[in-house]
């Protein structure tokens, strides 16, 4: 339904970056053009970290984008949008106000009689008529979110913005509430006809939305907009519904698991010219070894759909996809289309003993460029001892688009599991792992030099600040992602320095039974 | 509990006598306030006579009470303004927080001569300057931890609620009252209680300050006590201690207790099992017609002062396409820069004055200060050590016994709020009884001023040990020595370190009144940085005062940074139970 009049919300060339912590700017959204017309129900769908929530807040005028303009019915927005109400993921109910107090917040300026009339109507709509004088702490999660929705509806907004409204609820409650919102949207007499909501749940998007905006990450951008014209009320078991879900599955798979025909990718090769290539390592997804091993144990012999897996594990598909990606990088699974399949190595892993599993994982990890880099980094240090601080700095240089701390934790958890590295929490240092026996043997000359001995790379040839791995087949000279500055000092050291205020600001200096102590 | 005995709200049989009491109380307070006003307007005298007969004591107690609350009001104002400034102005934050850190380690006595001379010169006709100086010195003992606590609350305000405030177009005024203050209320209230106790600590010094030949005494419990001490009148001393105790109990029961109960509603977590229990006092009050009448006035006043915010409207947040969004007002930044410039100018002037004063200090003085600092250092650490030795086992014992801690809590709270300097002459008498000297005895005096911090924090930490851990230790049969070293002491370490920081910081400031004590006609002094500062202040040697106070602040901050902060990082890193 193309609007002849101006759309309710229109985004033109929106880009947004957060104030950069380091010199690298943190681009959250890039070049977004989108419009929301009357009677639209728009779902913003995408993996975590794609800037969905930021985009929603930009539409509401809560965040001013660094580039681009927001239009509201043809007028340029330069403040908080007058016609937008918002529902928050964690409800954001004031604990000291009753349901009545919370719901009446946005309409305090109306005459008392009007307030009362609207309150009764809206509490009736969400089914909370008997809860007017309850405090939020007495309510269950689902009830709280009903209050949140009532508070948004009472202002009679032109657009209802919802930020993952059901994801803090348990599955059953979420289902109920989703159904109710679905009925409201479908009801031609109800004023709630235009809404924008953020979700990572495909079924939810297909169930509620007329248009589904699929977003991709790094930087956040609109991948494709899918129009969903299924008539309300929608039946999740209908073949058309399933077809739509399937279609979104494959779009998302291509967005999140790109180029699935190739085996595991552990490096990105960019051609600079005919003779030079830039090779940058790829980070492991932020998952733990236990998660990957768990996936392998639960994976059946049949090819299984990623989304079916997510449903079976009761997890958000984004996180399941990350686990699958990690397994794929280690060559334990293949992912043709959005199915997940064992590789022979994966089968071997499932059958192996605990020690055998460890060895298999270790061998696979040592093949990864990122571990190659890490081992080399440790080996060029004095006494082969790498400080956590230094490692964070190097990771930031080598992988400027990753968050150094989660990556650091991920590498530690894998490296420690596979007995490649060890980390001393007391002194915040990383070393190559060696068992007690090996350490004793090393005291004698000529003993093997830890797990790094398997690494083909020659430590002398590179400085640690150079994250780029030289491809053996190509001539030298390559540049890392950023300037080759040896250190980006903005990364804080691991032992977080407490703020100066810590002394007096921590008040528990007091009688033990005081609240707030 | 008593709730079964309390009659329902609607039944107001007892309201008449209650109303009578309330009206009488209001009348008494009003009468007292006229007395205070008279005292303020009274012409300035060279030396105020302090009457140590019992009949003046209630009046003096009321004066002290009012001073404490005016000082608290200033503290609250300062806290809110400075903490908000530090929170919202990222650049200023980097200067404000360290500055507060240094200011809180400067002893109150440092500011006292400057305040007294300056304000008395400013209001040379009446007592106003004298009163203000006294109030400001109480304020300086109260304010810092409140500011830090409120700053922390501002940082901890959930971002969703800030977004909500923006969505509803809250002004800063609305945002403060509806979001920031409620979320900070519990911590602020809690720190207010601690602060009030901190404010009383130097009462005897502040109310009865003399410098050189000038006397800056003001009538109050502190000066009453000081006079009773210098005359050696034990009956009056006991009366003074009782009066101070009554002030503390009244404030605790009539003000803090209801407020603490009321503030439970501002708890964000949903699982706060204990509902706000109304004390019987609150129920009585709620039944009184007078209070109900007042609450109506309060409601309308509140609606006037805090109107519901206007939702965002098209006129203010939309402009025609192509036009530029309106530029933000220039008035704010101009005022900001003006204030900042004034502040910097003031600081610069202060710094040059200070440098000039420090230049006057002779090397011999520095050497004496250094020697004194050595002695005081030993005393401070000895008192922290002794405090640790008894307070850790006792604190753990209390903390692990919820029943016991419930019973002991009012007592401990009282002891901790009581300004110990008031009983220093008695303690000193005990020390002399066993043929001790002030040199060693002052360790005991310091200990009495500061050991409570260790006790509280240890007890708080011990109470927070998860039950599973305790069961686990039982199953593992960890007993005796190993139980202490492997379990109990590490478990209370985070609290213990906070206790140490507070106790050591307080101990340094306490040396000022513990190393120089007046008993009867005699003043006992011992070598130390504290007694040096006290003597410099009393003799009006301002250059030496500034130098020695700065030295003390430098020592406190340096030890904090090098020893305590590291210990704190370590303790928080290793000894925290992850829940």
């Amino acid at each position: 339904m193309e609007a002849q009049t101006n759309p309710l919300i229109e985004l033109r060339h929106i880009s947004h970056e957060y104030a950069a912590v380091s010199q690298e700017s943190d681009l959250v959204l890039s070049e977004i053009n989108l419009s929301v017309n009357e009677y639209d129900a728009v779902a913003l769908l995408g993996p975590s970290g794609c800037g969905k929530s930021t985009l929603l807040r930009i539409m509401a005028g809560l965040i001013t984008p660094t580039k681009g303009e927001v239009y509201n019915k043809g007028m340029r927005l330069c403040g908080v949008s007058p016609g937008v109400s918002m529902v928050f993921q964690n409800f954001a109910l004031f604990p000291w106000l009753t349901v009545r107090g919370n719901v009446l917040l946005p309409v305090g300026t109306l005459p008392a009689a009007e307030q009362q009339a609207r309150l009764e109507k809206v509490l009736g709509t969400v089914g909370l008529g008997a809860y007017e004088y309850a405090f939020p702490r007495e309510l269950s999660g689902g009830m709280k979110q009903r209050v949140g929705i009532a508070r948004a509806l009472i202002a009679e907004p032109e657009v209802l913005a919802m930020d993952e409204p059901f994801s803090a609820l348990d599955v059953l409650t979420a289902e109920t509430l989703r159904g109710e919102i679905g009925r409201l949207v479908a009801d031609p007499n109800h004023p709630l006809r235009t809404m924008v909501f953020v979700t990572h749940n495909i079924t939810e998007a297909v169930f509620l939305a007329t248009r589904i905006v699929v977003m991709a990450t790094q930087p956040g951008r609109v991948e494709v907009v899918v129009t969903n014209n299924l008539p309300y009320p929608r039946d999740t078991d209908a073949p058309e519904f399933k077809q739509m879900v399937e279609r979104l599955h494959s779009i998302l798979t291509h967005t999140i698991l790109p180029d699935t025909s190739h085996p595991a990718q552990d490096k990105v090769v960019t051609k600079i010219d005919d003779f030079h290539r830039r090779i940058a390592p790829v980070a492991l997804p932020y998952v733990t070894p236990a998660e990957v091993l768990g996936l392998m144990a639960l994976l059946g012999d049949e090819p299984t759909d990623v989304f079916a897996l997510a449903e079976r594990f009761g997890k958000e598909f984004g996180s399941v996809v990350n686990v699958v990606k990690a397994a794929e990088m280690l060559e334990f699974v293949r992912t043709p289309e959005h199915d997940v399949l064992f590789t022979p190595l994966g089968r071997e892993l499932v059958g192996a003993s605990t020690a055998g599993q460890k060895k298999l994982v270790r061998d696979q990890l040592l093949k990864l460029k990122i571990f190659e880099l890490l081992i080399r980094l440790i080996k060029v240090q004095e006494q082969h001892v790498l400080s956590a601080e230094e490692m964070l700095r190097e990771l930031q240089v080598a992988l400027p688009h990753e968050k150094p701390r989660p990556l650091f934790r991920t590498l530690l958890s894998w490296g420690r599991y596979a007995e490649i590295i060890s980390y001393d929490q007391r002194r915040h240092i990383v070393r190559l792992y060696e068992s007690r026996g090996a350490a004793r043997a090393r005291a004698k000359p000529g003993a093997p030099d830890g797990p790094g001995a398997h690494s083909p790379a020659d430590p002398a040839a590179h400085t640690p600040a150079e994250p780029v791995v030289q491809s053996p087949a190509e001539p030298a000279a390559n540049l890392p992602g950023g300037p080759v500055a040896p250190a980006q000092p903005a990364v804080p050291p691991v032992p977080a320095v407490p703020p100066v205020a810590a002394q007096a600001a921590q008040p528990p200096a007091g009688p033990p039974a005081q609240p707030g102590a | 509990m008593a709730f079964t005995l309390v009659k329902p709200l609607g039944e107001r049989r007892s309201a008449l006598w209650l109303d009578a009491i309330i009206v009488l109380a209001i009348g008494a307070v009003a009468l007292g306030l006229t007395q205070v006003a008279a005292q303020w307007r009274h012409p300035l005298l060279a030396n105020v006579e302090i009457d140590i007969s019992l009949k003046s004591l209630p009046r003096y107690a009321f004066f002290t009470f009012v001073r404490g609350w005016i000082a608290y009001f200033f503290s609250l104002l300062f806290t809110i303004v400075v903490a908000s400034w530090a929170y919202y102005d990222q650049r200023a934050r980097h200067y404000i927080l360290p500055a507060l850190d240094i200011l809180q380690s400067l002893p109150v006595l440092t500011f006292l001569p400057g305040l007294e001379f300056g304000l008395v010169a400013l209001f040379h006709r009446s007592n106003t300057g004298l009163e203000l100086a006294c109030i400001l010195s109480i304020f300086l003992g109260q304010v810092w931890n409140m500011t830090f606590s409120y700053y922390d609350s501002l940082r901890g305000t959930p971002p969703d609620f800030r977004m909500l405030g923006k969505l509803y177009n809250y002004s800063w005024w609305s945002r403060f009252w509806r979001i920031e203050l409620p979320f900070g209320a519990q911590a602020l209230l809690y720190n207010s209680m601690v602060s009030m106790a901190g404010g009383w600590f130097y009462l005897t010094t502040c109310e009865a300050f003399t410098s050189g030949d000038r006397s800056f005494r003001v009538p109050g419990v502190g000066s009453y006590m000081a006079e009773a001490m210098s005359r050696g009148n034990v009956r009056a001393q006991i009366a003074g201690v009782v009066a101070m105790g009554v002030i503390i109990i009244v404030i605790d029961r009539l003000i803090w207790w209801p407020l603490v109960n009321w503030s439970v509603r501002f708890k964000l977590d949903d699982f706060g099992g204990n509902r706000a229990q109304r004390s019987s006092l609150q129920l009585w009050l709620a039944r009184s017609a007078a209070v109900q009448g007042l609450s109506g006035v309060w409601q309308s006043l509140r609606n006037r002062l805090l109107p519901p915010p206007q939702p965002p409207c098209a006129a203010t947040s939309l402009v025609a396409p192509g036009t530029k969004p309106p530029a933000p007002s220039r008035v704010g930044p101009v005022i900001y820069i003006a204030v900042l410039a004034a502040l910097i100018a003031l600081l610069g002037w202060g710094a040059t004055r200070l440098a000039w004063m420090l230049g006057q200090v002779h090397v011999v003085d520095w050497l004496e200060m250094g020697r004194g600092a050595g002695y005081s250092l030993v005393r401070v650490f000895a008192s922290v050590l002794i405090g640790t030795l008894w307070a850790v086992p006792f604190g753990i014992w209390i903390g692990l016994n919820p029943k016991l801690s419930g019973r002991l809590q009012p007592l401990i709270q009282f002891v901790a709020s009581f300004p110990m300097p008031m009983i220093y002459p008695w303690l000193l008498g005990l020390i002399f009884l066993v043929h001790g000297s002030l040199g060693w005895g002052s360790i005991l005096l310091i200990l009495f001023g500061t050991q409570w911090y260790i006790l509280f924090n240890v007890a708080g930490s011990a109470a927070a040990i998860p039950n599973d851990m305790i069961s686990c230790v039982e199953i593992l049969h960890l007993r005796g020595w190993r139980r202490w070293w492997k379990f109990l002491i590490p478990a209370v370490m985070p609290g213990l370190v906070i206790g140490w920081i507070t106790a050591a910081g307080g101990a340094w400031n306490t040396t000022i009144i513990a190393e120089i004590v007046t008993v009867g006609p005699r003043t006992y002094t011992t070598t130390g940085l504290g007694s040096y500062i006290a003597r410099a202040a009393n003799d009006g040697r301002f250059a030496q005062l500034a130098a020695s106070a700065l030295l003390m602040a430098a020592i406190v901050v340096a030890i904090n940074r090098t020893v305590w902060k590291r210990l704190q990082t370590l303790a928080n890193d290793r000894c925290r139970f992850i829940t």
Side-chain angles (χ1 to χ4, degrees), chain A residues 57 60-63 71-72 74-82 84-86 88-96 102 105-106 108-109 136-138 144 151 425-426 428 495-496 498-517, chain B residues 101 104 145 148-149 152 155 160-161 163-164 166-168 170 178-179 182-183 186 190-191 193-194 260 264-268 270 275 308-314 316-321 323 325-326 405 409 413 456-457 459 498 501 560-561 565 568-569 573-574:
Chain A
R57 282 168 167 72
L62 291 171
I63 295 177
Y71 289 87
N72 188 309
M75 299 283 276
R76 177 149 180 216
L77 188 69
C78 60
V80 177
S81 177
V84 177
S85 282
M86 194 137 173
F88 294 86
Q89 180 177 2
N90 290 311
F91 325 127
L93 302 179
F94 290 97
W96 51 88
N102 268 299
L105 272 179
T109 46
R137 65 166 71 90
E138 301 171 52
K144 280 183 191 153
R151 182 173 64 185
Q425 182 92 50
R426 292 166 304 179
H428 303 284
V500 199
Q503 177 189 339
Q506 291 178 329
Q514 282 306 327
Chain B
D101 202 25
Q104 77 164 350
N145 64 322
F148 282 129
S149 131
D152 253 26
R155 284 206 316 176
D160 272 0
F161 289 93
M163 280 288 173
L164 209 60
K166 223 171 157 184
L167 200 63
Y168 297 153
Y170 280 6
R178 292 169 195 270
I179 299 174
F183 276 114
Q186 278 207 310
Y190 180 73
N191 275 279
M193 294 165 77
V194 175
V260 164
V264 173
R265 62 163 68 196
F266 298 121
K267 220 175 184 164
L268 188 60
D270 300 331
R275 291 278 163 280
Q310 288 289 341
C313 65
T316 53
S317 52
L318 294 178
V319 292
T323 52
S405 59
Q409 190 210 334
Q413 210 168 322
F456 290 160
N457 285 295
I498 294 173
I501 295 176
N560 268 355
R561 296 274 157 91
K565 288 285 142 120
Q568 191 169 33
T569 315
D573 203 26
R574 303 256 182 91

Side-chain angles (χ1 to χ4, degrees), chain B residues 137-168:
Chain B
S137 55
I138 297 175
F139 156 85
L140 288 170
Q142 292 179 340
V143 70
W144 313 116
N145 64 322
M146 286 169 66
T147 309
F148 282 129
S149 131
Y150 187 61
Y151 172 72
D152 253 26
S153 301
L154 283 179
R155 284 206 316 176
T157 305
D160 272 0
F161 289 93
R162 289 194 176 276
M163 280 288 173
L164 209 60
K166 223 171 157 184
L167 200 63
Y168 297 153

Side-chain angles (χ1 to χ4, degrees), chain A residues 331-381:
Chain A
E331 297 173 7
F332 295 139
V333 296
R334 287 185 299 125
T335 55
E337 290 307 313
H338 43 90
D339 285 343
V340 184
L341 275 177
F342 275 127
T343 59
L345 198 63
R347 261 181 228 290
E348 198 186 323
L349 182 79
V350 173
S353 66
T354 308
Q357 285 186 335
K358 205 168 251 198
K359 184 169 180 316
L360 276 173
V361 171
R362 176 192 157 99
D363 291 346
Q364 291 308 110
L365 281 176
L366 288 172
K367 287 184 195 165
L368 295 184
K369 281 277 176 275
I370 180 106
F371 267 89
E372 201 178 297
L373 171 76
L374 179 60
I375 288 165
R376 192 141 29 86
L377 203 57
I378 297 174
K379 286 185 138 189
V380 296
Q381 303 294 318

Side-chain angles (χ1 to χ4, degrees), chain B residues 369 371-373 375-376 379 515 526-533 535:
Chain B
M369 276 180 237
R371 206 165 78 96
Y375 278 99
S376 296
R379 287 192 190 108
E515 288 175 351
T526 181
T527 316
L529 189 56
S531 65
Y532 188 95
I533 293 177
R535 275 179 287 131

Side-chain angles (χ1 to χ4, degrees), chain B residues 50 52 203-205 207-208 217 220-232 237 422 518 520:
Chain B
I50 302 293
I52 59 168
L203 201 63
T204 39
T205 318
E207 285 189 349
R217 289 204 295 190
V221 176
S223 53
Y224 181 93
M225 203 59 199
E227 183 71 17
M229 284 180 205
S230 69
R231 290 203 203 164
Q237 286 177 20
M422 285 198 173
T518 307

